[in-house]
Amino acid sequence: MAAIVPISMTVGANRIVPAVAIPHPLGNPALPERDERELRLRLVKKGLRALQTDVEKQTVFDG
Amino acid sequence: MRLELGIVKIRDVQFGETTRIENGVLYVNESELIALALRDPRLAVAEVGLARPGESVRIIPVKDVIEPRIKADGAEGYYPGMAGGMRTAGSGRTNVLRGTNVLTVGRIIGYQEGFVDMTGPGAAFSPFSYTNNVVLILHPVEGLPEHAHEEAVRLAGLRAATYLGEASRGVVPDEVQVYDLGGAIDPTLPRVAYVYPVLSQGLLHDTYLYGADAKSLLPTLIHPNEVLDGAIVSGNCVSACDKHTTCHHLNNPVIEDLYRRHGSGLNFVGVVVTNLNVTLADKERSSSYAAKLVKLLGADGAVISKEGFGNPDADVMMLCKKIEDYGIRTVLITDEYAGRDGSSQSLADTVPQADAVVSVGNANAVITLPPMDRIIGDLRPAEVIAGGFVGSVAADGALSVEIQAIMGSTCQLGLGKLAAQEH
Amino acid sequence: MARGRYRVVHYLNQFFAQIGGEEKAGIPPQVKEGAVGPGIPLQQALGDEGEIVATVICGDNYFGENIETAAEAVVELVAPHRPDVFVAGPAFNAGRYGIACGAACTAVRKRLGVPVVTAMYEENPGLELYRKEVFVIPAPRSVQGMKETIPKLAGFVRKLGLGQPIGLPQADGYLPRGIRVNAFVERTGAQRAVDMLLAKLKGEAFQTEYAMPTFERIPPSPAIKELSAATIALVTTGGIVPRGNPDRIEAASASKFAAYSIAGTDDLTADAYQTCHGGYDPVYANEDPDRVLPLDAARALERDGIIGHLHEEYYVTVGNATSVANAQKFGKAIAERLVAAGVDGVILTST
């Protein structure tokens, strides 16, 4: 889970979830606390979905 | 736009009763300089140290390096929008004290400050080993938040440099350098633009254009003279080896070289300054926008420099690809992080279009430096700054670090003569 | 006083040692006095300055099936001859032979500290495996190239034997090993950049100072079938560590990783954790370390039964300027420990 997807692609990661920003990949300080925690939960769930998905090649889990 | 730099060559720096220049010697009134710095209530302690080329002195931890300058027309301050009134930089006469710099040093703010050795094997790696340095050691008041600490030190450095620059008033310059792109240029000459990304990633990672935070900018056109005349100020420290000090911006070597060849080898059509932000969306937006500006300049080719490393590799690769996609050829200037043994992949991102790359050195190369007789600042942070590690500082004061920790050692504006070669 | 001849030991496979072809490819390492086979023209090219004192021979299949032990045995056979230089091949395009040459040279260099060189064709698989470890002189694809390769190989052996410094690949005739070495040059980086761009624009030949690297591709692991029964671990390169950075992970160029227990911890808070990563604005991570290592979210998902179990340790290093080689080392070590602990999947976060 990282913000700069092209770098994750270049270094060969197979399951990539785009994150928010470099200093806070799993957070957004501009949001109220509760919204930020929900955002984090959503992103981690996306990560878990990626772990449950078979992939043949490098895949970005965006949706 | 016609800019004249009145170069006053400084060959020595000494403390003196009044701050003045006599026979190429800069005399500094220490108490005035300290009082100036302490006008900012955020700073508790200010001291001054002098360091000359060849002396056994290590200056650490260094935040920024600023060349003393003023506008000869008496305009207040020098850095418009930042430490001086707003005006468009890049015309008229600017007095430059060449051969001396202000270095801001003091309690470390983050992990990104660096050092300068005035003699020994480390000297070859920093341009500031060869200037007569007025070192301003600054300590904040207790409990000052980091952002305020960084700002206070940044402004103190700019003001100190301007204060010293005032000593040039009434001094006849040794040389006047004229920067003027002139009128019509031979249309058969290749049209070359310069793409100038500056780091813009938060605390100790920021750059300012006329005082505006580069994070909030879209890429924009700028006249090279503006860059050479104080429009861009550094708040960035990462890493010491490849961050652009304010002095680097003022003396941007890509701009200098393009100017030198303008009208004979090429047509220097303009500069696009862009940022290096922390989200993918910003990187895509800025690179597309900057590439389009290069296209609008009608350039045949573009030089692309870089600041920092790691995620900024993604930005310069996007810039390279998007500019090449317009049919405009590119060259990149980059340093490398190839590991201490030089055998790791040096960049975090790549594109096949990046077929013309200048490498200014492997920043991970380790160097062992002898102890110096005098430390200006504090040696202990050497173990925590980027490039340092536990055990970097030997009991006798010898230093074992990556060249990453030396100010300007792998500057990606290409100021130095260091290169990395394939063995 | 005249300098004595430098001593050379040569390595050959069973074929070039004139013992036999494929049917002899299983012969174990053995040694013969003096030069054998291609060692004879090699000795001639070395003249009076160098002497091939012994030739070590091994069957290609024997070596290929026992790389570690065969290399060790070669080292044992080489050592008593106290060579100043160890030379293997030329292997041309023979894959097993090229690998054996590379492995033998690497072992001799590492174990005996003797300078080594081999020669093979650019596409020999041995090159990819050992190019960073040993000097390789380019050779043509087929054995017909022996005549042109021997003098080149001899020239390099001579440099090593006389203790002469080895310069750039183009100057000294060896294949670039992908090792980046700093040097001060005549022109500044800016000047070199403008020179290079003008050459490129004019369609003139130019030499890039850095060819774009390629990264290894790893086959993807199979998906987790039953998430609610799975153990998930958290790993980060974002430098989140207990306050005080007890293991002193570096702000850049990390030389280590660490594991910290999160047993009983539901949330990473500013008083107990911090970032030690020097490559990003630390303010947000220091305010709430979950923004880089999402422990609170992972714990909630464990509580709700979405994942079976959150592994009781998390792993951390700093990805700032850290070399690919070190990152690979850390990754392998962390993976081994996670597998041993029964972890099924990893959420890896990076800044």
Side-chain angles (χ1 to χ4, degrees), chain C residues 186-208:
Chain C
E186 278 298 307
R187 286 170 82 64
T188 66
Q191 288 170 331
R192 298 183 339 250
V194 180
D195 290 345
M196 197 182 285
L197 182 62
L198 291 178
K200 190 170 167 179
L201 286 172
K202 289 181 201 152
E204 287 166 6
F206 65 90
Q207 174 83 357
T208 187

Side-chain angles (χ1 to χ4, degrees), chain A residues 2-11 18-24, chain B residues 201 277-280 283-284 310-314 318 347-350:
Chain A
I4 311 304
V5 172
I7 292 178
S8 301
M9 289 292 291
T10 295
V11 301
V20 177
I22 288 163
H24 46 81
Chain B
Q201 303 198 350
N277 278 6
V278 297
T279 65
L280 185 57
K283 287 182 188 301
E284 292 281 13
N311 77 74
D313 294 353
M318 286 177 194
L347 296 175
D349 200 4
T350 67

Side-chain angles (χ1 to χ4, degrees), chain A:
Chain A
M1 306 191 63
I4 311 304
V5 172
I7 292 178
S8 301
M9 289 292 291
T10 295
V11 301
N14 286 316
R15 293 178 170 89
I16 300 168
V17 171
V20 177
I22 288 163
H24 46 81
L26 279 300
N28 186 347
L31 295 177
E33 216 184 296
R34 215 186 64 170
D35 293 343
E36 205 190 354
R37 269 185 275 126
E38 262 175 41
L39 163 68
R40 179 152 55 247
L41 200 60
R42 263 200 323 273
L43 285 171
V44 174
K45 279 183 176 170
K46 214 187 276 190
L48 294 175
R49 256 201 313 281
L51 290 177
Q52 297 177 278
T53 308
D54 272 306
V55 298
E56 310 262 301
K57 54 184 170 66
Q58 294 181 279
T59 307
V60 179
F61 290 82
D62 230 331

